[in-house]
Amino acid sequence: ENMVTKINLRRKLDLQKISNAVPGSEYDPLRFQGLIMRVNKPLASFILFESGIAVITDVITEAKAKKAFKELNRLIEDIFLL
């Protein structure tokens, strides 16, 4: 069974910059204000909002949600350090 978790990253996000840096991400602010992104390790999907709120889906345990959050944090740090 899938879990859905919400996390506040405590920073504003430049969704266009993230979308440009992450292949396969989906961002169309005219249709939906969130950026949709998927990762394979761990298997998870994210919906990111400019406010810094992130919704993590497609995880089945709390441990996998925490691992997915760490991976998301790493990706965002890498993008903004470029």
Side-chain angles (χ1 to χ4, degrees), residues 14 21 28 37 60 77:
D14 182 341
D28 183 354
M37 186 170 78
I60 55 174
E77 289 297 322

Side-chain angles (χ1 to χ4, degrees), residues 13-48:
L13 298 176
D14 182 341
L15 298 182
Q16 191 62 59
K17 185 173 184 174
I18 296 170
S19 176
N20 292 341
V22 178
S25 61
E26 302 170 28
Y27 181 54
D28 183 354
L30 297 177
R31 281 190 12 200
F32 179 62
Q33 292 295 309
L35 177 141
I36 300 168
M37 186 170 78
R38 293 168 184 83
V39 295
N40 291 326
K41 290 187 181 181
L43 183 62
S45 299
F46 305 99
I47 304 171
L48 306 178

